[in-house]
């Protein structure tokens, strides 16, 4: 579904990503783990096309992402959903409108069809009763569930999550992780940057551990947590548990 080959990204002299490759198959849930500043967000943003890497090639379902072909690039990007740490909802739009807008503008769906789909996904994340609320009337957990529903309305082939629970109070983390777990169980392909080790272990099929812009270790989730190979991963795990 995703193939990223030899991606590098520099910010000035800083090597934020240094020759990172990853393949994600349909239905896999890959968790990206690593210390702050290790390049997790940069990597995810490069995969989604929010950032263009300085080097390397990206494919979605066999199709190359080439920024010099803007129309095709946009089309490929619209087939991936992205969920941000800070939700990025439109504050002056209702929950329903947040879910309808891109369906109409990007996918050219009719208003009626878009609403129907939005109501369906809002029901799935348990927020149908909030459809007419504005984001600032919602809790953090509710905002993030709206953001997930909004992404799902675009019927993406893969969902990318960048620390979706890091800005939430502890009691709200669970409701968001539950929605993500449900999605994974339904077979959604996902890449998740997270510090939720319980989620990574239970729901993740694979863990990729990054440090200083490089992949240090890549294993199936159970092996990573019970028997990490690298000293750096061992050290990291001893600090987070
Ligand atoms: P992580 O998500 O693992 O915390 P990031 O991918 O956000 O790491 O950042 C990797 C490195 O790149 C960090 O040193 C960060 O400060 C730097 N960085 C990220 N985005 C930018 C940017 N837009 N401009 C300059 N430096 C950046
Ligand atoms: Mg980050």
């Amino acid at each position: 579904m995703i193939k990223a080959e030899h991606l590098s990204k520099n910010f000035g002299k800083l090597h934020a990503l240094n020759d990172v490759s990853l393949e994600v198959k349909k239905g896999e849930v890959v968790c990206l783990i690593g210390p702050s500043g290790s390049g997790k967000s940069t990597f995810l943003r490069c995969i989604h096309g929010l950032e263009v890497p300085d080097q390397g090639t990206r494919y979605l379902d066999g199709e190359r992402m080439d920024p010099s072909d803007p129309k095709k690039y946009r089309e490929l990007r619209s087939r991936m959903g992205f969920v941000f740490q800070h939700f990025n909802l439109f504050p002056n739009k209702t929950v329903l409108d947040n879910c309808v807008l891109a369906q109409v503008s990007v996918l050219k769906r009719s208003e009626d069809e878009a609403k129907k789909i939005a109501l369906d996904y809002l029901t799935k994340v348990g927020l149908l009763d909030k459809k007419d609320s504005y984001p600032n009337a919602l809790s953090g957990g509710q905002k993030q569930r709206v953001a997930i529903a909004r992404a799902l309305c675009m019927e993406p082939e893969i969902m990318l999550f960048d620390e979706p629970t890091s800005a939430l109070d502890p009691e709200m983390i669970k409701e968001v992780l539950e929605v993500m777990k449900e999605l994974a169980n339904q077979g959604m392909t996902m890449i998740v940057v997270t510090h939720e080790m319980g989620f990574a272990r239970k729901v993740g099929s694979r863990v990729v551990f990054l440090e200083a812009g490089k992949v240090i270790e890549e294993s199936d989730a159970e092996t990573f947590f019970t028997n990490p190979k690298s000293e750096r991963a061992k050290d990291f795990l001893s600090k987070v548990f």
Side-chain angles (χ1 to χ4, degrees):
M1 184 65 69
I2 290 283
K3 195 169 177 186
E5 289 182 322
H6 306 293
L7 301 191
S8 294
K9 178 83 184 172
N10 302 324
F11 295 108
K13 283 189 195 143
L14 179 85
H15 302 300
L17 270 190
N18 196 343
D19 194 15
V20 174
S21 299
L22 178 70
E23 275 190 51
V24 181
K25 295 196 177 68
K26 199 169 159 54
E28 267 193 309
V29 177
V30 174
C31 291
L32 294 183
I33 289 174
S36 179
S38 56
K40 305 180 297 295
S41 295
T42 303
F43 187 40
L44 204 65
R45 292 165 68 86
C46 282
I47 288 174
H48 182 255
L50 278 163
E51 305 263 9
V52 177
D54 299 323
Q55 265 151 33
T57 340
R58 300 157 290 168
Y59 300 88
L60 172 66
D61 205 13
E63 296 187 77
R64 192 160 90 91
M65 292 183 66
D66 175 7
S68 71
D69 181 352
K71 190 160 169 267
K72 183 73 189 167
Y73 196 70
R74 267 199 306 275
E75 190 259 314
L76 291 173
R77 290 196 57 205
S78 74
R79 290 160 54 188
M80 297 182 250
F82 200 102
V83 174
F84 298 86
Q85 184 177 353
H86 293 287
F87 330 121
N88 291 19
L89 297 174
F90 301 113
N92 56 337
K93 302 281 179 198
T94 64
V95 163
L96 183 60
D97 282 344
N98 263 279
C99 293
V100 162
L101 281 171
Q103 294 191 63
V104 174
S105 66
V106 179
L107 302 182
K108 312 292 176 204
R109 286 183 182 145
S110 71
E111 195 88 18
D112 279 354
E113 191 193 3
K115 271 191 187 152
K116 198 165 154 269
I117 291 168
L119 294 174
D120 190 29
Y121 283 109
L122 286 171
T123 305
K124 286 198 174 120
V125 301
L127 287 173
L128 184 60
D129 59 328
K130 299 290 182 191
K131 69 181 168 56
D132 298 317
S133 301
Y134 285 85
N136 64 12
L138 304 181
S139 71
Q142 291 171 333
K143 282 183 204 168
Q144 197 57 298
R145 285 188 283 146
V146 171
I148 293 171
R150 177 176 67 174
L152 292 174
C153 284
M154 304 298 281
E155 286 163 346
E157 290 162 42
I158 180 166
M159 286 282 285
L160 311 175
F161 295 86
D162 192 359
E163 297 200 32
T165 59
S166 295
L168 301 180
D169 292 336
E171 71 268 27
M172 289 164 193
I173 292 177
K174 203 168 155 231
E175 69 189 48
V176 171
L177 292 180
E178 277 301 317
V179 168
M180 293 169 62
K181 191 173 154 194
E182 184 66 30
L183 253 187
N185 288 341
Q186 287 163 10
M188 177 61 81
T189 311
M190 301 172 29
I191 306 179
V192 186
V193 176
T194 187
H195 294 295
E196 292 297 326
M197 297 300 145
F199 175 88
R201 185 167 182 170
K202 274 192 247 115
V203 183
S205 12
R206 206 144 42 94
V207 170
V208 174
F209 180 71
L210 285 168
E211 190 181 64
K214 286 203 171 102
V215 174
I216 302 293
E217 180 161 347
E218 186 177 342
S219 333
D220 68 86
E222 196 52 31
T223 306
F224 181 80
F225 288 105
T226 54
N227 193 16
K229 293 188 279 277
S230 63
E231 283 308 314
R232 277 133 141 179
K234 278 181 203 160
D235 186 48
F236 179 79
L237 287 171
S238 74
K239 283 177 186 142
V240 294
F241 277 120

